[in-house]
Amino acid sequence: VTTHDSIAVGEDGPTHQPIETLPSLRLIPDLTVMRPADGNETAGAYKYAVERSKNESRPTFMAFSRQALPNLPNSSIENTLKGAYAVIDCEEPNLIIIATGSEVGLAVDAAKEMEAAGTKVRVVSMPSVEVFREQPAKYKETLLPASVPKMSVEAACTSGWGEFADGFVGIDCFGASAPGGTCMEKFGFNVSNVVSCGVRLLAGEKGALSNGTGAR
């Protein structure tokens, strides 16, 4: 069980902000990484970890955020055990935003702004990449249809997100020594930047849409 999982740790300094840790841990065979976004997902992560340890003798790594986070619509223990699920859903979305941990609430706020401008957005919380991979193919295709543009939002390196998304909002450089909220804002984890990146993806741009490299 770990905490302080992103650049939101703030004043600890740029080299103490674990931008590379989550992608690195996801590469370890037989390790499940859980990054919960609220209390319900936390409960689901603990349930998964205890049962996996008891039944399979295999480890689970839980990464928690330092800052307070809102409770999300549609979050539950049951949905967490799917690895990913729709927090905000709609029929025939124009865009799907996939987020983890503290960035799910940000994705929800960005989706609301895009909806108000006429873009239909589904927001998917993905507390565990590994658990989602194990779900039935029909569920995975229904949640993340290949025909719909998808954008990941995570305060970590963008490495690995090409498996699920077409465009990425992340951080591929060291952070900064500043209050956590200032760091998040400075490196693009704010509603206006996520909305802008979503618009650019819909216009055909792909890859790292925002990765903090121009923030200094």
Side-chain angles (χ1 to χ4, degrees):
V1 178
T2 64
T3 63
H4 294 55
D5 67 352
S6 76
I7 58 171
V9 302
E11 291 92 334
D12 286 349
T15 58
H16 286 66
Q17 297 169 3
I19 60 166
E20 81 294 342
T21 305
L22 288 169
S24 299
L25 289 167
R26 289 175 181 142
L27 294 174
I28 299 175
D30 291 332
L31 177 67
T32 296
V33 178
M34 284 278 189
R35 190 175 185 232
D38 70 356
N40 291 327
E41 288 194 6
T42 297
Y46 270 103
K47 177 179 173 62
Y48 177 89
V50 170
E51 291 181 351
R52 188 170 195 250
S53 177
K54 178 181 178 181
N55 298 330
E56 302 178 35
S57 297
R58 294 184 179 183
T60 301
F61 184 98
M62 290 190 282
F64 295 108
S65 300
R66 175 190 187 187
Q67 66 273 37
L69 301 176
N71 285 323
L72 300 168
N74 205 33
S75 70
S76 66
I77 291 175
E78 292 73 22
N79 279 336
T80 302
L81 297 178
K82 299 174 184 176
Y85 63 96
V87 174
I88 292 181
D89 207 356
C90 61
E91 294 293 330
E92 300 181 353
N94 305 119
L95 172 70
I96 298 174
I97 301 177
I98 309 167
T100 75
S102 54
E103 289 72 70
V104 180
L106 169 61
V108 169
D109 291 341
K112 290 177 180 177
E113 187 166 311
M114 296 187 77
E115 289 274 1
T119 302
K120 298 168 66 176
V121 181
R122 172 182 295 163
V123 177
V124 170
S125 176
M126 188 176 284
S128 178
V129 168
E130 296 82 9
V131 175
F132 180 64
R133 286 193 187 113
E134 296 173 354
Q135 301 309 302
K138 183 177 181 180
Y139 176 74
K140 292 188 286 187
E141 171 59 23
T142 300
L143 185 66
L144 302 177
S147 59
V148 180
K150 290 168 282 293
M151 181 174 75
S152 64
V153 181
E154 183 176 65
C157 290
T158 59
S159 302
W161 277 110
E163 179 179 354
F164 303 107
D166 308 295
F168 327 122
V169 176
I171 177 167
D172 292 326
C173 61
F174 281 125
S177 183
T182 301
C183 283
M184 295 294 276
E185 178 75 24
K186 177 184 177 71
F187 288 100
F189 295 96
N190 56 70
V191 171
S192 61
N193 187 54
V194 173
V195 169
S196 174
C197 290
V199 171
R200 287 161 55 198
L201 178 64
L202 290 173
E205 191 173 342
K206 295 184 178 181
L209 302 168
S210 175
N211 65 357
T213 55
R216 296 188 178 279

